[in-house]
Amino acid sequence: MNIYFDNNATTSVALEVLEAMLPYLKEAYGNPSTAYSFGRKVRDSVERARGQVASLIGAKEEEIIFTSSGTESDNTAIMSALRFKNAGKHIVTTAVEHPAVLNLCKYLQTFGYTYTELPVDNAGMIDLDYMAQIIDANTAILSIMYANNETGVIFPIDKISRIASSKNVVLHTDAVQAVGKLPINVNDLGVQMLSISGHKLHAPKGVGALYVKKGTEFYPYIIGGHQENGRRAGTENVAAIVGLGKACDIAKTFLDSETLKVQHLRDRLEAGLLNKCSNTIVNGASSPRLSNTSNISFAYVDGEAILMMLDKEGIYASSGSACSSGSGQPSHVLRAMNIPQEYIRSSVRFSLSPYNSEEEVDALIGILPQLIERLRHISFLRGN
Ligand code: PLP
């Protein structure tokens, strides 16, 4: 039995996506920049994919730049804004961003930039009034994630964009966990830049996209050839781009029904575990959350021990984010939420996809409470 509950770390490539990609790994291997028909056909497929990505988020085709990842999209957005004419040297972000944003900000400090990490409350939410106070004449960009990868907490990007525009500051949102899970229209959101990653929505790893609103100043991050209209150099990863386009197409068609399905599974999982396990809390539960994400703390047990025992049963989940697990560091997101140490240490993130089933959720509910009891018993005997 293999049960995969770690879809915020990465997703399986959908079969339809794989099938759409295969010709570009086989016979259709032309370079999209070449002028002859063999290459032009490949170019057309890249442009079709651009249209599919644009369509999922209500953008125009020319507003989509393909990149190698969500990380590259985040880096590109921030680095571009810092080069705007008369740009300030201050970045405003949140304490719960992905390292793709936070570590870049930290790195930029060594070049004379400063940044503010907006704190979050116990429910994982930022204070918009405080955010408005923090933005000053030196602020070059606001980079605020759409949905958190560890807790699923959703930030009110539409409200944030109104504040940003009243202060005349460019707004970037890392929507890596939101695209394909929430209905998104960039015009309603009011952002100037938005990051997407393929492998979070059943496309392959190593492809992403950056939405840049028409009329927004833009400076490329990867310098070289003229690909992507001079906005991102490097020969296109055609098969992966085609895969991303197809995944966006599928997400657009099935978003509503799949969101309902996943939410039903997530609610069943939470109800089942909370009912059977004492001293258990769902982190971020009182905030708007992605329908697929459940970050649960089982007090007095080590989250890593839970994961190891689940692994033996063929069930895969994550403690904190996949990027920070293994680092031995307690989750920066839960710490920022001021979750008690005991609950941080014992947190497990379950992130579902439409490919999960009720049977899988029930299998978890059947196994995990006993494991928790056993671990608590061992920990009690050891006097921890
Ligand atoms: N931003 C968020 C919120 C993420 O969850 C991730 C990946 O976990 C990234 C950015 C980085 O995306 P990628 O893995 O495509 O570089």
Side-chain angles (χ1 to χ4, degrees):
M1 176 176 69
N2 268 347
I3 301 182
Y4 187 73
F5 287 143
D6 204 12
N7 288 278
N8 286 8
T10 197
T11 59
S12 62
V13 174
L15 197 57
E16 303 91 314
V17 168
L18 178 66
E19 275 163 6
M21 291 172 61
L22 281 177
Y24 302 92
L25 293 166
K26 291 167 144 181
E27 63 276 7
Y29 57 81
N31 186 324
S33 295
T34 50
Y36 42 78
S37 57
F38 186 56
R40 274 204 318 271
K41 276 194 194 135
V42 176
R43 160 108 251 128
D44 290 347
S45 62
V46 169
E47 293 316 312
R48 198 174 326 116
R50 198 184 307 283
Q52 290 167 317
V53 175
S55 170
L56 179 63
I57 60 168
K60 300 183 184 72
E61 286 175 26
E62 64 270 27
E63 293 175 322
I64 302 297
I65 302 169
F66 287 116
T67 66
S68 69
S69 58
T71 300
E72 187 191 320
S73 298
D74 287 347
N75 278 219
T76 303
I78 293 171
M79 295 303 278
S80 173
L82 295 179
R83 291 181 57 196
F84 285 7
K85 276 176 217 83
N86 306 320
K89 295 199 132 217
H90 175 226
I91 302 161
V92 175
T93 186
T94 79
V96 295
E97 298 295 311
H98 189 271
V101 169
L102 285 182
N103 283 344
L104 176 66
C105 291
K106 213 178 282 171
Y107 170 75
L108 284 166
Q109 277 186 315
T110 52
F111 297 96
Y113 293 92
T114 57
Y115 71 103
T116 303
E117 288 181 10
L118 299 172
V120 294
D121 62 17
N122 197 243
M125 195 48 69
I126 48 173
D127 176 343
L128 299 192
D129 292 333
Y130 181 66
M131 185 187 84
Q133 285 170 35
I134 288 292
I135 300 170
D136 62 19
N138 193 31
T139 304
I141 180 171
L142 218 62
S143 182
I144 312 278
M145 72 196 326
Y146 199 155
N148 188 272
N149 43 306
E150 294 192 33
T151 58
V153 169
I154 298 167
F155 286 149
I157 298 296
D158 52 346
K159 290 189 186 143
I160 292 169
S161 80
R162 271 178 248 139
I163 297 170
S165 85
S166 74
K167 303 259 178 189
N168 227 352
V169 176
V170 67
L171 173 61
H172 160 250
T173 187
D174 173 345
V176 161
Q177 294 292 348
V179 173
K181 296 177 190 149
L182 293 174
I184 293 182
N185 183 302
V186 281
N187 300 305
D188 297 345
L189 275 187
V191 295
Q192 280 73 48
M193 292 185 275
L194 178 145
S195 299
I196 300 174
S197 171
H199 73 110
K200 310 291 184 181
L201 72 152
H202 302 285
K205 296 160 188 62
V207 65
L210 179 65
Y211 157 81
V212 181
K213 188 180 172 67
K214 207 171 166 188
T216 306
E217 249 181 288
F218 181 78
Y219 297 89
Y221 186 49
I222 307 276
I223 312 293
H226 56 270
Q227 292 90 353
E228 294 296 290
N229 246 333
R231 295 180 299 176
R232 197 275 185 183
T235 301
E236 297 87 341
N237 183 355
V238 175
I241 287 172
V242 168
L244 176 56
K246 183 71 184 175
C248 288
D249 212 25
I250 296 171
K252 191 175 177 199
T253 311
F254 297 106
L255 190 67
D256 293 346
S257 57
E258 293 196 333
T259 303
L260 280 178
K261 177 186 173 191
V262 168
Q263 178 148 2
H264 164 75
L265 295 177
R266 200 268 315 265
D267 291 350
R268 187 180 180 95
L269 180 151
E270 287 184 354
L273 292 180
L274 263 61
N275 191 20
K276 291 191 175 177
C277 305
S278 56
N279 293 309
T280 297
I281 55 166
V282 178
N283 297 306
S286 60
S287 290
R289 275 187 302 156
L290 292 174
S291 58
N292 81 316
T293 308
S294 187
N295 189 309
I296 308 186
S297 291
F298 304 89
Y300 317 118
V301 211
D302 182 19
E304 294 294 332
I306 301 174
L307 293 185
M308 276 165 55
M309 291 190 115
L310 285 178
D311 188 358
K312 282 198 193 132
E313 303 287 340
I315 300 177
Y316 308 119
S318 168
S319 75
S321 77
C323 306
S324 66
S325 68
S327 68
Q329 292 296 317
S331 153
H332 72 286
V333 174
L334 300 184
R335 259 185 298 151
M337 289 165 69
N338 226 351
I339 304 287
Q341 193 57 34
E342 186 49 45
Y343 281 87
I344 295 182
R345 212 175 56 85
S346 66
S347 71
V348 177
R349 178 189 69 184
F350 301 97
S351 49
L352 280 57
S353 89
Y355 293 98
N356 289 124
S357 64
E358 273 190 9
E359 290 70 36
E360 291 179 331
V361 168
D362 291 348
L364 178 76
I365 298 169
I367 291 169
L368 188 53
Q370 291 164 30
L371 293 183
I372 301 284
E373 276 320 301
R374 207 183 320 153
L375 286 168
R376 281 182 178 159
H377 187 64
I378 295 168
S379 148
F380 175 74
L381 291 179
R382 284 192 188 142
N384 290 338

